[in-house]
């Protein structure tokens, strides 16, 4: 009884911390995104609000909170309001099995990656519901694109992670971290470079970011599946999008870059440094490459990533078998 | 088939090239001018086509070259010009409504005596439409007076850039007081820098 109560309290505290992390992450990422975009285009980016514009993202979120929740006519009310909530809460759960530090895990699950992959699929359901219930053809098209894209990109992503799982012989994120060393040459990215490459490409597709941001392609679909959302509805989608980005980057850090391990001292700082380095890379490619066409997007996935990841998986299996 | 695959792999290299270009831009200094705190150099403003103004006279700078032929008035698509002919050829009133002007330059092109030119007033701000109706003859007199006070060594070159607008000078890059219509509507021109 006491034990279960302790776990309950632990999960509640962890959930609150994760909400804080999600909000903080969104603020930091909006600022980073706009600053990097500015510097890449050789302009200063946000500049006026606070020193170097650091308070801009906070002010923007205040504005979103204060905005009217406008509901267009003929929407499916239940689904319309359910979708943003459904986008937000599964992401909350996804952070629980991540080992942020040697002892800093909200929920020790010995098959953590299965949990993450299973609930990550719920995100696309919320996109679909949002697009369907909005009664808007842009939203519906965006939702259809989101579904076909996310479902497609999940496969190479899982296969790439599976190669690492084969190699480590464990699905426990903590165990995978422990098998890597502190220094970069002891990380899995060296033994699984192809898997890392596939994972990074498909995480761009999975998080719907440019150049694979077709579900919300501004120039074609207004804003895609969240066209009809305003105020907090939009903010929840926004939050969960950035939280998803952080999550896949954290998983990449755990599986390929040694997680919380690093030179000098292990700890949560290393996993955050690694995850934010990956996110910086994502922002960088967003402002470098143009958006691909939808057929190109699927071609990249089905003709390249999927065969390559299968090949990688086979090779890993053979090598692991031979070595053990 | 193999060639197509190889071409695709080679195509990956172009992604790296793109990343390196944006990465270089990311690290190089910003190019934009942060307006209220910085202003652009006068040299750059010399090519700026602001609201039109009368050119300084050949002999007496305060005397306009305009002969009231009304060519500019007819050419203007926005009907913003009004030239009133006096006893002689010289105009007695020359009003220009900048609020209708599209800066097309048809008036400058059509003038047979070269009496019109673009000014370089880049910091033009007013709070009402009425303040955008300029009396160009008064403006010309003012510019001529300022020029007489501080003559530049190269008299001919002064005509083109004599009235770089408002108070923005490269020597004193203090921004013009934004919103003060008076400063913009009746500019205090300064002579061109050598
Ligand atoms: S620039 Fe064009 S619109 Fe403006 S006054 Fe001259 S002719 Fe008219
Ligand atoms: S075209 Fe030239 S000369 Fe004729 S009225 Fe206009 S400014 Fe004067």
């Amino acid at each position: 009884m006491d034990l279960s109560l302790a776990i309950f309290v632990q999960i509640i505290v962890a959930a609150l911390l994760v909400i804080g992390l999600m909000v903080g992450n969104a603020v930091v990422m909006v600022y980073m995104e706009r600053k990097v975009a500015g510097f890449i285009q050789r302009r200063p980016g946000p500049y006026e609000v606070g020193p170097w514009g650091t308070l801009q993202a906070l002010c923007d979120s205040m504005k979103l909170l204060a905005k009217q929740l406008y509901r267009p006519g003929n929407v499916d009310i239940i689904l319309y309001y359910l979708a943003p909530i459904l986008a937000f809460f599964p992401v909350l759960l996804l952070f629980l099995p991540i080992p942020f530090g040697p002892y800093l895990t909200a929920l020790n699950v010995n098959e953590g990656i299965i949990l993450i992959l299973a609930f990550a699929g719920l995100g696309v359901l919320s996109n679909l519901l949002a697009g369907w219930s909005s009664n808007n053809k842009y939203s519906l098209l965006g939702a259809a694109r989101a579904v076909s894209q996310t479902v497609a990109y999940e496969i190479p992503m899982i296969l790439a992670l599976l190669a690492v799982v084969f190699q480590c012989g464990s699905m426990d994120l903590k165990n995978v971290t422990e098998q890597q060393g502190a220094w970069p040459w002891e990380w899995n990215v060296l033994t699984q470079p192809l898997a890392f490459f596939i994972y990074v490409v498909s995480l761009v597709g999975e998080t719907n970011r440019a150049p694979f941001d077709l579900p919300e392609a501004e120039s074609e679909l207004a804003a895609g599946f969240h066209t009809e959302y305003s105020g907090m509805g939009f903010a929840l989608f926004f939050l969960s999008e950035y939280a998803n980005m952080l999550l896949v980057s954290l998983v990449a850090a755990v599986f390929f870059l040694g997680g919380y391990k690093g030179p000098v001292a292990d700890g949560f700082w290393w996993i955050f440094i690694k995850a934010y380095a990956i996110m910086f890379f994502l922002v960088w490619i967003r402002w470098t490459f143009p958006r691909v066409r939808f057929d190109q997007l699927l071609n990249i996935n089905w003709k390249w990533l999927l065969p390559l990841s299968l090949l990688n998986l086979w090779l890993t299996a053979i090598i692991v078998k031979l070595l053990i | 088939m193999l060639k197509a695959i190889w071409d695709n792999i080679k195509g990956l290299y172009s992604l790296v090239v793109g990343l390196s270009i944006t990465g270089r831009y990311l690290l190089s200094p910003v190019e934009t001018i942060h307006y209220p705190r910085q202003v652009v150099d006068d040299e750059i403003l010399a090519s700026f086509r602001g609201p039109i103004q009368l050119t300084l006279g050949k002999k007496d700078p305060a005397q306009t070259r305009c002969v009231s032929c009304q060519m500019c008035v007819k050419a203007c698509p926005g009907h913003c010009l009004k030239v009133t002919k006096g006893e002689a050829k010289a105009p007695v009133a020359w009003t220009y409504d900048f609020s209708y002007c599209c800066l097309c330059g048809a008036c400058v092109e059509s003038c047979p005596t070269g009496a019109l030119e673009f000014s370089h007033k880049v910091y033009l701000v007013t709070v009402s439409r009425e303040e955008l109706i300029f009396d160009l003859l008064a403006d010309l007199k003012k510019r001529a007076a300022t020029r007489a006070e501080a003559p530049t060594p190269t008299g001919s070159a002064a005509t083109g850039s004599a009235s770089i607008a408002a108070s923005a000078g490269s020597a004193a890059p203090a921004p013009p007081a934004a919103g003060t219509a008076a400063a913009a509507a009746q500019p205090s021109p300064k002579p061109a820098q050598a």
Side-chain angles (χ1 to χ4, degrees), chain B residues 52 72 75-81 96 100-108 118:
Chain B
I52 58 158
C72 55
C76 178
H79 304 295
C80 14
L81 307 178
Y96 164 44
Y100 288 128
C101 177
C102 58
L103 296 169
C104 66
C107 51
V108 178
F118 283 110

Side-chain angles (χ1 to χ4, degrees), chain B residues 54 64-73 81 83 89 91 94 107-108 110-116:
Chain B
L54 291 170
T64 172
R65 297 184 211 169
C66 173
V67 291
S68 309
C69 69
Q70 312 290 338
M71 291 301 281
C72 55
V73 180
L81 307 178
V83 184
K89 279 178 178 174
W94 219 114
C107 51
V108 178
S110 66
C111 181
T113 59
L116 290 174

Side-chain angles (χ1 to χ4, degrees), chain B:
Chain B
M1 165 80 182
L2 276 179
K3 191 176 176 303
I5 291 175
W6 178 238
D7 279 350
N8 272 321
I9 292 172
K10 267 200 308 195
L12 284 179
Y13 175 67
S14 71
L15 300 183
V16 180
V17 173
L19 279 178
S20 73
I21 289 173
T22 46
R24 219 170 31 242
Y25 276 15
L26 179 71
L27 298 177
S28 43
V30 296
E31 287 276 359
T32 47
I33 300 287
H34 211 266
Y35 166 58
R37 298 181 191 89
Q38 297 168 298
V39 288
V40 290
D41 296 338
D42 282 355
E43 288 157 49
I44 301 170
L45 283 187
S47 63
F48 180 79
R49 304 191 351 163
I52 58 158
Q53 66 188 13
L54 291 170
T55 45
L56 296 166
K58 278 209 178 87
K59 287 188 193 117
D60 176 11
Q63 204 60 48
T64 172
R65 297 184 211 169
C66 173
V67 291
S68 309
C69 69
Q70 312 290 338
M71 291 301 281
C72 55
V73 180
K74 290 210 176 68
C76 178
H79 304 295
C80 14
L81 307 178
K82 204 160 139 226
V83 184
T84 318
K85 192 168 181 283
E87 290 292 297
K89 279 178 178 174
V92 288
W94 219 114
T95 42
Y96 164 44
D97 187 350
F98 183 49
S99 61
Y100 288 128
C101 177
C102 58
L103 296 169
C104 66
C107 51
V108 178
E109 296 290 321
S110 66
C111 181
T113 59
L116 290 174
E117 65 181 2
F118 283 110
S119 69
H120 313 295
K121 294 173 192 163
V122 66
Y123 305 110
L124 182 65
V125 178
T126 63
V127 288
S128 71
R129 274 168 171 260
E130 285 68 43
E131 288 167 74
L132 285 173
I133 302 172
F134 302 138
D135 179 0
L136 289 195
L137 279 179
D139 175 54
L140 177 72
K141 290 224 167 57
K142 239 175 128 194
R143 278 188 293 130
T146 344
R147 205 178 82 111
E149 276 167 26
T152 46
T154 49
S156 59
T159 336
S161 53
S163 60
I164 286 170
S167 54
S170 57
T180 51
Q186 287 120 34
S188 52
K190 55 194 279 304
Q193 317 238 307

Side-chain angles (χ1 to χ4, degrees), chain A residues 122-133:
Chain A
L122 271 183
V124 66
L125 178 68
S126 70
N127 292 1
L128 180 62
L129 287 184
W132 175 254
S133 63

Side-chain angles (χ1 to χ4, degrees), chain A residues 59-231:
Chain A
C59 294
D60 283 353
S61 49
M62 287 299 130
K63 180 207 74 175
L64 275 179
L65 278 175
K67 265 183 146 178
Q68 183 195 4
L69 264 183
Y70 180 75
R71 176 168 53 82
N74 288 334
V75 301
D76 189 326
I77 294 177
I78 299 174
L79 294 186
Y80 180 80
Y81 285 120
L82 191 64
I85 297 170
L86 210 57
F88 183 75
F89 280 101
V91 185
L92 207 63
L93 185 68
L94 296 181
F95 280 93
L96 296 185
I98 301 267
F100 287 103
Y103 304 104
L104 195 62
T105 314
L107 194 63
N108 270 316
V109 216
N110 53 11
E111 262 139 30
I113 191 62
I114 300 265
L115 182 74
I116 289 177
L117 291 174
F119 279 93
L122 271 183
V124 66
L125 178 68
S126 70
N127 292 1
L128 180 62
L129 287 184
W132 175 254
S133 63
S134 293
N135 188 30
N136 174 329
K137 56 187 168 220
Y138 291 131
S139 304
L140 188 59
L141 276 174
R145 284 181 176 190
V147 172
S148 55
Q149 171 179 342
T150 318
V151 166
Y153 273 82
E154 228 158 48
I155 301 169
M157 194 168 181
I158 293 175
L159 290 179
L161 291 179
L162 208 56
V164 181
V165 168
F166 275 19
Q167 187 195 328
C168 297
S170 167
M171 288 194 182
D172 187 353
L173 294 162
K174 183 131 191 285
N175 201 340
V176 171
T177 312
E178 287 298 334
Q179 294 194 17
Q180 304 174 63
W183 296 94
W185 53 87
E186 296 165 315
W187 294 346
N188 279 343
V189 63
L190 245 75
T191 49
Q192 295 283 358
L194 186 58
F196 183 63
F197 178 74
I198 292 168
Y199 184 81
V200 169
V201 175
S202 49
L203 82 79
V204 180
E206 186 75 13
T207 49
N208 299 338
R209 282 183 61 84
F212 297 156
D213 61 345
L214 286 143
E216 41 202 282
E218 299 93 354
S219 44
E220 305 155 29
L221 293 181
F225 60 86
H226 57 61
T227 306
E228 297 290 3
Y229 284 88
S230 59

